[in-house]
Amino acid sequence: MTKKLYIKTWGCQMNVYDSKKMADILASLGYRAVDEPDDADLMILNTCHIREKATEKVFSDLGRLRSHKEAKAEKGEPALIAVAGCVAQAEGDVILDRAKYVDMVFGPQVYHKLPEMILQATGGQRVVNTDFPPESKFDELPVDAEAQGPSAFVSIQEGCDKFCTFCVVPYTRGAEYSRPAAQIIDEIKRQADMGAKEIMLLGQNVNAYHGAGADGSTWNLARLIAAVADVSGIERIRYMTSHPRDMDDELIAAHGDLPALMPFLHLPVQSGSDRILDLMNRKHTAAFYFDIIARLRAARPDIAFSSDFIVGFPGETDEDHEATMEMVRKIGFSSCYSFKYSPRPGTPGAAMGGIVSEKIKDERLYALQDLLMQQQRDYNSSFIGSVQPVLFDRRGNKGNGQLLGKTPYMQSVYVDDAPERLFGQTVNVRIEKAFQNGMSGTVDTTETILTNTSTPNKKAEAA
Ligand code: 5AD
Ligand code: SF4
């Protein structure tokens, strides 16, 4: 008999990827994914601990799952509740203590142990597993069972050794680990065989990748990307999330040399002030970041940048904030994420003096977001009238044949009344309208279906 599996996922793409992997393992135990928790036999919350109130959100959702579990129990059917992900890793014991109806709590490194954990929980034990086991879960997880679609995520690296003072990742995800290249390429080949045209290489600190290469040497990210570009059917390659310190010369050069490497980079900087960058233990200055941006633009003049910013880090003054604003004005981003600093228990930042008031954090965030949103609108508007290759990877839900996809620069584009056969294809789209978060257009009259179209233009001047 098939059992019903409900997974709710918070946070980054790594968690989305992990949830897919959990669903794959559980499929082999007879679980089928459902969209709602009612009547589910196993409910998993895959949690994120990176920003504020994470734990409270988990408890509020757990309350809801509890009522489903109780309703099922009244019918004489057991149901299991599990908390996975980084909140589980950081606060496993607290969860078991506060929520007696939770059956399993486990961190991101032990998903391959799900079958035995479920067996224990079914036998009435409460399971807590926040180990960092010596074996890699990647060696143990089943190979991709299902096609991800035209755009596929592949995790290549996990954990982080950087220890930025605001961040929980080094504590919840552990030390840096890179998957062997052969394993990654195999996974990508399988996805390509099932129709993937775009690969997003994922990792918490992805450009620190240093995995065992297919030829016995250690490969860096540039070398791995070159191998991915050789996989038949793969047209587009992206990677996320990178640290400025790990943008090495080869990786920068790859942006100019490899047409499949898309002209977009998410490169978090967090602050434009050297004093704050130092307090954050970012291991780079503002000048270092400007230099990386200039070198990437020299290699690939049309490259677009996005970033992450934190306002109101302890000790941040008006001058520090102005340095961040000035950096944004100078660089010009295509899209960005920005956050108010919130102390994460156990991180060095949480013990720092010079706390910035909520009011000032709000003001700074408002000013920064105003500027970033203006830049994003301007960037999208600059595409009106141009023709862009769009990989259609989603169907709209309006029932009018809407297809959605991405430009090489990571902008979302939708086209109404598009022929269904264009789904999964890279198609020329004439951009007609621009919005805050994307653009719309019509399929270019020639309706060209393209294969690799993104050509690095090495002769053009840097912007
Ligand atoms: N407070 C606010 N923002 C944070 N981030 C990480 N930790 C914190 C924190 N304690 C942001 C950073 C990071 C992004 C994923 O989340 O900007 O790059
Ligand atoms: Fe966190 Fe990224 Fe810093 Fe690592 S590099 S500690 S993941 S913010």
Side-chain angles (χ1 to χ4, degrees):
M1 197 190 78
T2 59
K3 287 174 260 176
K4 293 185 189 133
L5 164 70
Y6 169 77
I7 307 187
K8 175 165 176 178
T9 310
W10 279 278
C12 64
Q13 294 299 342
M14 301 285 291
N15 265 13
V16 176
Y17 179 88
D18 282 345
S19 289
K20 281 197 192 98
K21 288 284 170 191
M22 284 194 263
D24 282 352
I25 310 184
L26 292 165
S28 63
L29 300 182
Y31 285 92
R32 186 176 50 82
V34 293
D35 293 334
E36 299 296 332
D38 328 42
D39 211 34
D41 301 283
L42 172 58
M43 299 168 257
I44 302 179
L45 298 181
N46 189 6
T47 61
C48 169
H49 200 236
I50 208 147
R51 278 182 300 274
E52 230 175 352
K53 302 203 179 89
T55 316
E56 290 320 307
K57 283 182 203 151
V58 172
F59 279 111
S60 110
D61 263 55
L62 277 175
R64 241 164 295 162
L65 297 191
R66 176 192 198 165
S67 55
H68 294 305
K69 179 172 172 159
E70 286 170 354
K72 233 169 131 62
E74 276 169 25
K75 294 192 273 174
E77 297 170 13
L80 297 175
I81 297 182
V83 183
C86 293
V87 174
Q89 184 69 40
E91 312 209 32
D93 293 333
V94 179
I95 295 169
L96 282 185
D97 237 37
R98 258 179 75 180
K100 301 285 182 217
Y101 49 90
V102 168
D103 303 282
M104 294 186 275
V105 171
F106 47 88
Q109 311 308 323
V110 295
Y111 295 154
H112 56 292
K113 302 207 167 180
L114 259 173
E116 61 186 83
M117 292 193 287
I118 288 178
L119 213 60
Q120 289 168 342
T122 313
Q125 280 182 52
R126 297 185 85 202
V127 177
V128 55
N129 191 343
T130 48
D131 296 345
F132 288 104
E135 79 276 8
S136 154
K137 68 177 176 188
F138 293 113
D139 295 339
E140 317 285 330
L141 288 168
V143 296
D144 265 359
E146 282 183 34
Q148 289 190 39
S151 182
F153 292 128
V154 175
S155 177
I156 67 164
Q157 180 278 341
E158 241 192 308
C160 182
D161 293 342
K162 291 283 186 299
F163 290 93
C164 301
T165 53
F166 53 81
C167 185
V168 285
V169 165
Y171 310 97
T172 57
R173 293 272 175 168
E176 249 175 38
Y177 167 81
S178 296
R179 285 176 83 182
Q183 213 182 64
I184 296 167
I185 298 294
D186 274 358
E187 186 166 331
I188 291 173
K189 280 185 179 153
R190 272 196 307 279
Q191 284 298 332
D193 287 346
M194 294 188 284
K197 300 237 163 75
E198 176 175 81
I199 297 295
M200 173 68 89
L201 302 170
L202 290 177
Q204 264 100 26
N205 190 178
V206 74
N207 58 343
Y209 179 83
H210 56 281
D215 57 7
S217 66
T218 300
W219 285 10
N220 59 16
L221 184 59
R223 180 69 193 83
L224 180 70
I225 290 172
V228 178
D230 283 341
V231 174
S232 156
I234 297 306
E235 297 172 13
R236 295 181 166 201
I237 304 168
R238 305 179 188 276
Y239 57 95
M240 196 171 69
T241 293
S242 298
H243 190 284
R245 265 271 155 225
D246 296 315
M247 287 308 303
D248 61 39
D249 295 346
E250 274 176 76
L251 188 53
I252 292 173
H255 278 275
D257 295 338
L258 292 174
L261 187 54
M262 289 291 101
F264 169 85
L265 182 63
H266 181 60
L267 193 61
V269 62
Q270 315 295 356
S271 170
S273 153
D274 285 347
R275 220 175 53 79
I276 297 300
L277 288 169
D278 191 41
L279 286 171
M280 287 176 164
N281 190 32
R282 288 288 293 177
K283 308 181 203 313
H284 65 81
T285 59
F288 184 90
Y289 189 81
F290 279 119
D291 183 56
I292 297 281
I293 297 285
R295 287 164 60 206
L296 281 158
R297 281 184 168 150
R300 181 78 206 232
D302 60 338
I303 191 168
F305 293 106
S306 82
S307 197
D308 289 346
F309 294 92
I310 296 176
V311 300
F313 190 76
E316 189 186 67
T317 62
D318 285 345
E319 290 74 54
D320 295 319
H321 177 65
E322 178 49 31
T324 300
M325 298 289 286
E326 191 53 23
M327 172 180 262
V328 174
R329 282 182 215 112
K330 279 192 180 141
I331 291 177
F333 292 94
S334 65
S335 62
C336 277
Y337 299 94
S338 46
F339 313 99
K340 284 192 285 183
Y341 173 70
S342 82
R344 312 314 296 137
T347 59
M352 285 183 187
I355 291 172
V356 177
S357 73
E358 279 307 303
K359 182 169 168 285
I360 291 180
K361 279 189 205 168
D362 283 336
E363 285 168 12
R364 290 182 186 161
L365 187 68
Y366 185 84
L368 178 61
Q369 291 192 336
D370 198 42
L371 175 61
L372 291 170
M373 280 162 61
Q374 183 62 49
Q375 289 192 342
Q376 188 179 17
R377 279 194 300 272
D378 289 349
Y379 185 72
N380 289 343
S381 300
S382 73
F383 283 74
I384 294 175
S386 73
V387 173
Q388 295 298 320
V390 173
L391 171 58
F392 286 126
D393 59 359
R394 280 168 302 146
R395 296 179 178 88
N397 46 16
K398 288 193 182 153
N400 62 347
Q402 191 183 69
L403 291 178
L404 298 100
K406 292 259 168 21
T407 66
Y409 310 98
M410 202 67 176
Q411 301 144 294
S412 290
V413 174
Y414 73 82
V415 171
D416 289 331
D417 302 317
E420 169 63 22
R421 71 192 151 78
L422 298 183
F423 180 80
Q425 307 290 344
T426 307
V427 176
N428 271 337
V429 172
R430 184 166 295 279
I431 304 299
E432 287 165 351
K433 289 186 188 153
F435 315 99
Q436 181 68 49
N437 291 315
M439 310 182 306
S440 69
T442 49
V443 171
D444 197 36
T445 40
T446 50
E447 231 189 53
T448 342
I449 294 180
L450 305 154
T451 50
N452 219 332
T453 51
S454 154
T455 318
N457 179 1
K458 297 195 98 176
K459 287 187 209 80
E461 291 298 315

